[in-house]
Amino acid sequence: VCKRMDLVCQRMLNQGFLKVERYHNLCQKQVKAQLPRRESERRNHSLARHADILAAVETRLSLLNMTFMKYVDSSLCCFIPGKVIDEIYRVLRYVNSTRAPQRAHEVLQELRDISSMAMEYFDEKIVPILKRKMPGSDVSGRLIGTAPVLSEVPGPSAALTTMQLFSKQSPSRQEVTKLQQQVKANGTGLTALKREISELRVKVQEQQKQLQDQDQKLLEQTQIIGEQNARLAELERKLREVMESTVGNSSGSGSNEQSPRKRRKAVDSTDCPRKSKRLRNRK
C-alpha cells in the first residue's frame, strides 16, 4: 500500500471518530434541551426513546474510546473499524429524522454487534503486536540483551538473572494493562446498569404513586356513594311521611262531610214529638 495513501486513510478514520463524537454531543444537547427537568416527566415525554438511544450510543463511544484511542494517541495505529463510524452516523441520523423511533435495543442491535466484534478482535489480535512497538518495550529489550553479562557475576543470586526478572515482569505488565481495560469496560457497564436501575426505580415510584392516587379516589367514591345512600334513605322516609299525612287528611274530610247530615236527622227526630203534641192540643 502507498504510504501516503495509508496516512491519508488513517487521518480520515481518526477524524471520523472525533467528528462522530462531536455530532453525538450536539444531538444529545438538542434532545436534553427539549426534555423536562424532572425525571418522572421525561419517561412520558415524546423524546424519551431518543434520549435512551443517545445514552446507549454514549456508552458505546466511551468503550471504543478506551479501547482504541490510547494507541491512536501514541501514533501506533488509527481508529480501525470504519464501519462502526458509519453505523453510529446511521443511528444518529435516524434519531434526528424520526419523531417516534423504535426501542433502543432494536435500533442499536447492529451497532452493538459490530463494535463488540471490533473491540474483541483488536484486543486479541492487534494489541499484542502494538505492545511490542511501544517505547517501553525497546528499553526492556536492550536491558534483556545485556543481561547475560550481568549474570556472569558470581554470587548467591546468580541463578536469578535479570533476564528472568524482565521475562517475569513483562507478562505481568501486559496482564495489568488488560485488567485495567477490563476494569474500565466493567465500570462503563456498571454506570449503564446503574442508570437503568435508577430509571426502573423511578418507574416503580411513579406506579406506586399512581396506585396510591387510585386508592384515594376509591375511598372518596365510596364516601360519596355512602352519602348518596343516606340521602336516598332520608328522601324515602320523607315520602312515606307525606303519603301517610295525605291519607289521614282524606279520611278526616270524609267524616266531616257526614256529620252535618247526622245532625239534621237528629234535629228532625227531636222536632217530631213536639209537632204531634201541638196537633193533639188543637183537636
Side-chain angles (χ1 to χ4, degrees), residues 69-160:
M69 296 311 290
K70 181 176 73 172
Y71 301 98
V72 173
D73 294 336
S74 300
S75 299
L76 294 173
C77 69
C78 65
F79 187 81
I80 299 168
K83 189 176 181 181
V84 175
I85 299 173
D86 296 336
E87 185 63 23
I88 294 171
Y89 269 118
R90 186 193 68 81
V91 172
L92 295 176
R93 287 165 184 160
Y94 172 76
V95 171
N96 286 332
S97 61
T98 56
R99 294 183 179 178
Q102 297 177 355
R103 294 181 180 179
H105 68 275
E106 296 175 357
V107 177
L108 299 171
Q109 185 66 39
E110 184 68 18
L111 177 60
R112 286 173 178 170
D113 291 340
I114 63 175
S115 61
S116 60
M117 289 167 61
M119 288 186 286
E120 289 175 2
Y121 183 81
F122 185 77
D123 289 332
E124 293 175 1
K125 303 293 182 181
I126 301 174
V127 169
I129 299 170
L130 296 178
K131 284 182 178 178
R132 297 172 190 170
K133 299 179 181 180
M134 291 180 76
S137 62
D138 297 333
V139 176
S140 63
R142 290 172 186 173
L143 291 172
I144 289 168
T146 59
V149 177
L150 295 172
S151 64
E152 292 176 358
V153 178
S157 63
L160 191 62

Side-chain angles (χ1 to χ4, degrees), residues 274-283:
R274 290 178 183 177
K275 289 179 180 180
S276 60
K277 285 180 181 180
R278 288 176 183 173
L279 292 171
R280 287 176 184 175
N281 292 325
R282 285 178 183 177
K283 290 180 179 181

